Amino acid sequence: MPNRRSNFPIVGVGASAGGIEALEGFFQGLPSKPGLAFIVVTHLSPHRESLLHEIIARHTELTVAVAENAVTVCRDCVYVLPPDAIITLKAGRLQLRKPDDGRRERKPIDILFSSLAVDQEEYAASVVLSGGDGDGALGTKAIKERGGLTLAQVADGYGPRHPSMPDTAIATGYVDFALPANEMGAKLAEFARALAESGGPVSDEQWGADAQAEIACIMRKHVAHDFGGYKSKTFFRRVWRRMQVVEAPDQATYIERLQRDPTEVRALFRDLLINVTNFFSLDFSNVSTFE
C-alpha cells in the first residue's frame, strides 16, 4: 500500500497550449477550502522563466508555490512545475528531476499522472485541460486503473482553445467527467468530501462474496462476461469508484442501479476491463534530482 502522508486527494492538473485561460477558469471555480492538493504541469520552455504560479495565485485563495524537490504535499495547496523539470510523486512527496539530455521527453503530464496513480491509488485525481497534443491520455488511464477520479475539459468561456489534449483523453473512454473548466472544482470538492466521509473504499471483506456474485450475475446477464472469478480487491475498487461517479450512497443502492440501468452496467464493464498501464513499470531511481 502507498505510504500516504495525509488522507486527502491529490490532483494532477495538466495543460499545454491555451492552458493559461483554462487554468484561470479551473481555479476560479474551486471552493476556498476544497480539501485537496493540486500539482500543475504544463509544457514549459526550459529557457524561459515561468510566472504561472503568480497567475494562478490571482484566481484562488489556496496557497500557490513553485514545486520543490522532496516537499511533502499539503492539503489546500497548489504546486506548479518549474521550467526544465520533470515531476513525480513518491510517498506523498514531490520528486523533481532534470529531463534526460539524451532524449526529448514529450509527456510530462503522463509521467506525473502515472506516478500519482501508483502513489495515491483511490486518492488520486487527474484533470486534462487545453492542449495541442495527446499528453495526459495514458496517465488518465493509469489514474482510472488504480481507482482514482478522472476529468477532462469541454468547451465553455475558458476554452479549450486547443481541444486535442482533452479530446484525446476523453476518447480513451477513461474520463469520468467531461466538464467545462470552471465546473470541475465543485466535482473535485465533492470527491474529497465523499472520501473523507467514507474513510476510503470499502474493503472486499466488507463487501463479501455474495455482493461480488450478485454484481457478476448482473454483468453476465447484460454483457455475457463472467466476473465471478475476478480479483476481489480490484473488482470492488472499481465498483466503488463507479459508486462515487453516480453518487450512490451505499452498496444496495448501487446494485439496484445496475439492475435497472444497462448504461451503468456498460460503464462498469468498461472499467473492469482496464489493463494495467506499462507506465507503472517506470523507474526514476537512477535519474538526477534537484537538490
Side-chain angles (χ1 to χ4, degrees):
M1 293 293 294
N3 181 20
R4 298 189 187 93
R5 299 286 176 165
S6 298
N7 219 16
F8 58 86
I10 300 177
V11 184
V13 182
S16 185
I20 297 295
E21 185 179 32
L23 286 164
E24 289 174 350
F26 175 80
F27 282 103
Q28 285 178 10
L30 275 174
S32 58
K33 296 289 184 180
L36 313 102
F38 301 87
I39 305 171
V40 179
V41 172
T42 59
H43 293 173
L44 297 170
S45 167
H47 308 297
R48 292 180 59 185
E49 180 182 3
S50 173
L51 299 178
L52 182 59
H53 61 293
E54 296 180 5
I55 295 171
I56 291 174
R58 298 174 195 150
H59 300 280
T60 180
E61 298 179 21
L62 303 181
T63 300
V64 182
V66 177
E68 297 181 5
N69 191 52
V71 167
T72 299
V73 173
C74 295
R75 188 194 309 265
D76 294 327
C77 291
V78 182
Y79 304 88
V80 181
L81 178 73
D84 200 28
I86 298 294
I87 191 168
T88 57
L89 192 73
K90 185 175 182 180
R93 291 177 178 266
L94 301 177
Q95 305 289 311
L96 269 68
R97 67 175 177 87
K98 299 176 181 178
D100 188 339
D101 291 335
R103 59 187 177 90
R104 185 181 178 187
E105 297 185 81
R106 301 175 183 271
K107 304 293 184 181
I109 299 169
D110 278 331
I111 291 171
L112 169 64
F113 286 3
S114 298
S115 74
L116 185 59
V118 172
D119 198 63
Q120 296 297 307
E121 295 189 332
E122 293 91 351
Y123 285 76
S126 62
V127 171
V128 180
L129 299 175
S130 179
D133 66 3
D135 195 8
L138 184 57
T140 293
K141 178 180 183 291
I143 294 281
K144 184 78 168 177
E145 192 279 328
R146 290 297 180 104
L149 191 73
T150 57
L151 299 89
Q153 184 183 10
V154 295
D156 71 341
Y158 298 97
R161 285 171 49 197
H162 299 272
S164 177
M165 201 160 79
D167 283 357
T168 301
I170 293 168
T172 66
Y174 300 133
V175 170
D176 292 313
F177 296 105
L179 295 170
N182 62 340
E183 295 181 15
M184 292 176 169
K187 191 64 67 177
L188 287 165
E190 175 57 34
F191 169 57
R193 283 194 296 272
L195 278 171
E197 291 170 3
S198 67
V202 178
S203 70
D204 51 331
E205 291 86 359
Q206 290 170 288
W207 274 92
D210 289 346
Q212 181 166 354
E214 186 171 4
I215 295 172
C217 181
I218 297 170
M219 303 292 289
R220 187 165 55 248
K221 176 182 176 181
H222 285 276
V223 298
H225 191 100
D226 188 2
F227 287 99
Y230 204 90
K231 185 178 178 182
S232 59
K233 179 181 178 180
T234 303
F235 184 86
F236 288 122
R237 169 190 286 163
R238 296 183 185 173
V239 170
W240 183 81
R241 172 56 59 226
R242 288 305 309 168
M243 288 176 59
Q244 302 300 303
V245 171
V246 302
E247 300 180 356
D250 52 48
Q251 303 165 24
T253 302
Y254 185 68
I255 290 174
E256 182 183 350
R257 172 74 176 261
L258 288 172
Q259 290 169 336
R260 60 179 171 80
D261 186 355
T263 301
E264 180 56 27
V265 173
R266 290 192 293 271
L268 177 59
F269 175 67
R270 183 182 63 242
D271 285 8
L272 287 169
L273 291 182
I274 302 173
N275 294 318
V276 177
T277 175
N278 60 8
F279 259 70
F280 293 148
S281 65
L282 288 178
D283 179 10
F284 300 123
S285 61
N286 60 349
V287 296
S288 299
T289 58
F290 288 84
E291 300 297 337

